[in-house]
Amino acid sequence: MPTTPENQPTGDAQSRQRGPDARRRIHPAWLVAAVAFIALLAAAGFRAAPGALMVPLHADFGWSMSSMSLAVSVNLLLYGLTAPFAAALMDRFGIRQVVAAALTFVALGAGGSVLMTASWQLLIFWGVLIGLGTGSMALVFAATIADRWFLARRGLVMGILTAGSATGQLIFLPPVAAIAESTGWRPASLLIGIAALAAVPLVWFVLRDHPSDLGVLPYGAIEDDDRSGAATDKSVSSVPTKRSDTGATRRAFEGLFLAARHRSFWALAIAFAICGATTNGLIGIHFIPSAHDHGMPASTAAGLLAVVGIFDIAGTVFSGWLTDKFDPRILLVAYYTFRGVGLLLLPWLLSDTIHPSMVLFIVVYGLDWVATVPPTATLCREIFGESGTIIFGWVFAAHQIGAAGAAFAAGVVRDVFGEYTYAWWGGAAMCVIAAVLSFAVKRRLIDDRPELTPAEAGH
């Protein structure tokens, strides 16, 4: 985002922030952002874990891939459907209350799963508890922290917090896979639960709803005095200062009703559903079991999947830079095309050892993993204006619906055919559809969008 006097105050302006030691002290917003990152990282511990735990669960109980994939599908579905309403929950109950409860749900789901004796219990622990917990801490949590606590550096903070999920995959996946392979899936699952629970005290004692709760202004805001002028008043007043019982929920539904009337929304939503299907649904859940079918140790496959997370961070940042310079539709066409080619070739790349062509696949797929997010979010903003952020929440829900469907379908394919080849090829075919839909999106601002913010002006 270009630097302007309104969103990037000068050093002198920042020195007028509340408090006599403003020049020397670290602003509390950065501590809040750090704890938010830790919370997102801890919640992300389970995101890639099912792929590492499904093989030992099958060996221990004989459960089919279909039954285990169904639990993961429920998880992904709830993750997506909870996200659009997470802002309403935080407005109603407070950030730290919602986040602490969400981490507790994740801990109960991961830790409680060690007591399972039947496959249907996976639906409760992996599906419902962890799905609701992670869904309450989706992208909207990062956006809420960035919007409330920062007037300057919002984009940077949003990027860092969004990377928390990928970082969690990097940190947790290799040890979870190694423990599951050497000691058993129960200690590996307990590790995830302990990590989520350990973040709760930090969240409870550090996170606050608004900077005013600590007697400070948002980072980058300046005191309202004769030197700050009207622009400062506008900047500070744009930060929410009270909770709303119904406003966020009403806005979420109004955004959906607006978007559903336009073809561009459906094109973006279906394409992003395919994005979810070919990342979280297929590779995220089934890459490790598929590599294991070809003789590769699960810990080795988990290491490869963790490398995806490394290049995921780089690819997302670079994609954001490209989105500022090129047509987002062209970028999406390129991303989905590269992804489709990778899935088409994957059956011939899998083997019992790591070779250069597999490393190339991991690098390309990592760079492409969520590179689709910046151009998709930009198109939502270009088309729907002020409603774009809310509508992107619903597009993200479609992403998780696609992931849920693909996670279950790939498990069925594995049970029926004894291998994943048709699942990979099906994903490649869907990528072609996503590329066509992305190019068909009309970059035209919708003129009949309602003014959503005044609905809350009287509250």
Side-chain angles (χ1 to χ4, degrees):
M1 179 176 180
T3 300
T4 66
E6 183 173 348
N7 60 42
Q8 181 59 60
T10 64
D12 290 339
Q14 288 190 28
S15 70
R16 296 197 298 270
Q17 292 184 32
R18 189 169 299 175
D21 299 325
R23 290 180 181 272
R24 299 187 301 271
R25 294 172 54 194
I26 297 176
H27 195 284
W30 292 110
L31 182 58
V32 169
V35 172
F37 180 88
I38 293 172
L40 287 165
L41 185 151
F46 183 82
R47 301 310 310 157
L53 300 181
M54 287 168 72
V55 172
L57 275 170
H58 175 73
D60 198 357
F61 295 106
W63 296 341
S64 67
M65 287 295 176
S66 299
S67 62
M68 290 185 287
S69 298
L70 178 61
V72 177
S73 296
V74 172
N75 172 285
L76 294 171
L77 188 63
L78 287 176
Y79 179 82
L81 295 179
T82 303
F85 300 97
L89 292 172
M90 292 178 188
D91 279 347
R92 177 65 181 86
F93 299 105
I95 293 177
R96 63 173 177 170
Q97 288 85 347
V98 171
V99 174
L103 288 168
T104 302
F105 278 3
V106 174
L108 288 174
S113 66
V114 302
L115 304 176
M116 293 186 301
T117 57
S119 61
W120 65 266
Q121 294 166 353
L122 273 175
L123 297 173
I124 304 299
F125 292 109
W126 281 17
V128 176
L129 289 175
I130 297 180
L132 290 175
T134 53
S136 298
M137 294 178 58
L139 293 178
V140 69
F141 173 48
T144 300
I145 294 296
D147 289 346
R148 292 186 182 183
W149 283 86
F150 293 85
L151 291 183
R153 305 287 189 265
R154 276 181 177 170
L156 173 64
V157 172
M158 184 65 186
I160 293 172
L161 294 182
T162 302
S165 179
T167 307
Q169 178 175 314
L170 290 176
I171 292 176
F172 284 102
L173 183 54
V176 165
I179 292 172
E181 192 172 45
S182 62
T183 308
W185 65 270
R186 288 181 177 86
S189 191
L190 282 174
L191 173 64
I192 298 169
I194 291 171
L197 203 58
V200 172
L202 272 176
V203 166
W204 190 260
F205 290 109
V206 176
L207 285 189
R208 293 296 184 271
D209 289 326
H210 302 282
S212 58
D213 295 339
L214 297 179
V216 299
L217 295 175
Y219 179 80
I222 58 179
E223 286 283 8
D224 180 19
D225 57 23
D226 293 337
R227 296 168 296 176
S228 59
T232 302
D233 294 341
K234 180 179 179 182
S235 298
V236 175
S237 65
S238 66
V239 181
T241 58
K242 63 178 182 178
R243 298 176 189 170
S244 172
D245 291 346
T246 58
T249 301
R250 181 170 60 249
R251 292 182 66 193
F253 278 112
E254 286 176 347
L256 177 61
F257 295 151
L258 162 66
R261 299 198 300 268
H262 301 281
R263 293 180 180 178
S264 291
F265 166 75
W266 292 108
L268 288 170
I270 294 172
F272 215 43
I274 292 173
C275 175
T278 51
T279 52
N280 300 102
L282 287 178
I283 297 296
I285 303 302
H286 294 284
F287 177 80
I288 295 176
S290 181
H292 186 267
D293 287 345
H294 287 77
M296 182 179 292
S299 57
T300 302
L304 289 174
L305 203 56
V307 173
V308 168
I310 296 177
F311 288 96
D312 167 21
I313 297 172
T316 304
V317 174
F318 185 55
S319 178
W321 181 81
L322 290 174
T323 301
D324 291 333
K325 297 181 176 296
F326 300 100
D327 186 339
R329 299 173 301 172
I330 302 302
L331 295 177
L332 289 174
V333 170
Y335 296 155
Y336 288 124
T337 300
F338 277 114
R339 188 178 299 179
V341 172
L343 288 172
L344 182 66
L345 298 177
L346 184 57
W348 290 284
L349 301 180
L350 289 167
S351 67
D352 57 350
T353 59
I354 300 176
H355 48 83
S357 57
M358 172 54 71
V359 173
L360 179 63
F361 170 85
I362 291 297
V363 171
V364 172
Y365 220 87
L367 291 172
D368 194 275
W369 188 263
V370 289
T372 54
V373 171
T376 301
T378 295
L379 287 170
C380 286
R381 184 170 60 252
E382 287 183 358
I383 297 168
F384 297 102
E386 293 178 1
S387 306
T389 301
I390 293 173
I391 290 169
F392 177 68
W394 288 107
V395 173
F396 176 74
H399 181 279
Q400 295 306 113
I401 292 172
F408 177 66
V412 173
V413 168
R414 170 62 176 80
D415 287 340
V416 172
F417 297 100
E419 60 181 5
Y420 283 99
T421 298
Y422 292 113
W424 306 136
W425 288 351
M430 288 192 294
C431 285
V432 175
I433 298 173
V436 172
L437 288 172
S438 299
F439 189 74
V441 171
K442 303 295 183 183
R443 298 181 70 185
R444 181 176 64 247
L445 182 66
I446 299 300
D447 294 327
D448 61 347
R449 65 192 189 282
E451 185 69 23
L452 297 180
T453 52
E456 296 181 313
H459 288 70

